[in-house]
Amino acid sequence: MNKYPAPALEKGLDILEYLSDKGIPKSQSEIAHGLNRSANEIYRMLYCLEYRGYINKSSSGKYAISLKLYNLSHRHSPIDELLKAAKPMMEELANTTKQSCHMGVLYNGQLMVVSQTPSPEPVSLSIEEGSLFPLIKTTSGRVLLAFMEEKESTRILSENHDFIHLPEEEQRVFSVQLEAIRRNGYELEKSEITIGVTDIAVPIGYAESGIFSVLAISSLTSINRKNETGEFFIECLKKTAKNIHKAIKL
């Protein structure tokens, strides 16, 4: 529960989040119905948001999100700085390992893939940028959780649907798994989402730095005979993560 409520601000944020979630223009009455509020209750807020340029009103009287939030988020984005530094190093990683690689960050309690570099090989695994995956069911998600401050990871897990519905014993096993990831500095596991795929992930940066992500290889061929333990991939991932870390001075 919010200790310091700000009703007007929350009402405005509710409107922005609702329009963003729906993705199509909505009338005042439709927005009010969607937020379980009266049309009169949101009239002034709609006017203010339109006046400030956060939403646009069409000739039909329907409202939609403008590009203002997008422009604000890109004026100074730590993620943009991270991606700019990481891209050439991820390309080198893909060429060295002959595997595609990707980078993920925490977004609304899920893992979001923010960058992907394809393998130079004719057949490889591709993960679409912007894709969302469950935290506890992915190697990258578990690595993110393992290297967060304990207080923050505990909070996230307390709100995570998948974790909450695990039996207590499985929750304890999961906590032990996170401890092992912290000790090792990486995780290598078969994918719980895609059959025949092995995922290896390492962290980049620190959660308290404001720029914290995970770098991963997802191999279609699993671990091949020349790399049965994954040591080569792990070494390459750690080296690349270290170089990215240095480049953005985390």
Side-chain angles (χ1 to χ4, degrees), residues 5-230:
L9 176 59
E10 290 176 359
K11 192 186 301 182
L13 293 174
D14 285 343
I15 291 172
L16 291 174
E17 290 176 359
Y18 176 80
L19 289 173
S20 177
D21 181 60
K22 295 305 176 184
I24 58 175
K26 293 287 184 178
S27 67
Q28 180 178 333
S29 60
E30 288 172 327
I31 296 170
H33 178 74
L35 297 177
N36 196 28
R37 296 178 181 273
S38 69
N40 289 337
E41 193 179 358
I42 65 169
Y43 170 75
R44 289 187 178 183
M45 191 57 63
L46 287 171
Y47 177 83
C48 180
L49 289 171
E50 182 188 5
Y51 177 76
R52 295 293 296 269
Y54 288 95
I55 60 176
N56 295 322
K57 186 178 181 180
S58 68
S59 57
S60 65
K62 294 195 173 185
Y63 297 90
I65 295 285
S66 72
L67 291 175
K68 185 166 185 177
L69 284 173
Y70 176 85
N71 291 331
L72 287 175
S73 69
H74 284 74
R75 285 183 182 177
H76 179 70
S77 170
I79 293 297
D80 287 346
E81 180 184 353
L82 173 63
L83 297 181
K84 183 178 179 181
K87 200 60 181 177
M89 300 182 202
M90 290 175 65
E91 290 174 356
E92 182 180 350
L93 175 65
N95 288 328
T96 301
T97 62
K98 308 302 180 186
Q99 302 290 333
S100 61
C101 58
H102 58 275
M103 182 180 293
V105 298
L106 180 68
Y107 177 77
N108 283 351
Q110 298 182 82
L111 172 79
M112 175 186 276
V113 174
V114 293
S115 182
Q116 195 252 172
T117 300
S119 162
E121 297 295 290
V123 178
S124 67
L125 182 69
S126 176
I127 301 177
E128 185 177 357
E129 292 178 1
S131 298
L132 295 171
F133 296 95
L135 274 182
I136 74 168
K137 294 183 179 181
T138 57
T139 298
S140 292
R142 290 188 293 269
V143 169
L144 281 175
L145 286 168
F147 287 92
M148 286 179 189
E149 292 183 352
E150 186 176 356
K151 184 177 180 180
E152 180 65 7
S153 63
T154 299
R155 182 192 66 78
I156 290 172
L157 288 175
S158 71
E159 300 171 355
N160 185 280
H161 180 272
D162 294 319
F163 184 78
I164 292 170
H165 287 82
L166 287 177
E168 287 188 15
E169 179 57 31
E170 290 186 31
Q171 290 185 3
R172 285 193 288 271
V173 170
F174 186 80
S175 296
V176 171
Q177 188 176 8
L178 294 185
E179 290 174 7
I181 294 171
R182 280 191 290 272
R183 286 196 305 272
N184 295 331
Y186 69 91
E187 184 178 55
L188 183 156
E189 285 290 340
K190 291 182 179 179
S191 173
E192 294 182 30
I193 297 175
T194 308
I195 297 174
V197 171
T198 295
D199 297 317
I200 314 171
V202 299
I204 301 175
Y206 303 102
E208 60 270 23
S209 71
I211 305 177
F212 179 51
S213 64
V214 61
L215 182 65
I217 286 174
S218 293
S219 174
L220 272 176
T221 54
S222 189
I223 304 303
N224 59 43
R225 290 182 180 179
K226 292 182 180 180
N227 187 33
E228 291 180 356
T229 64

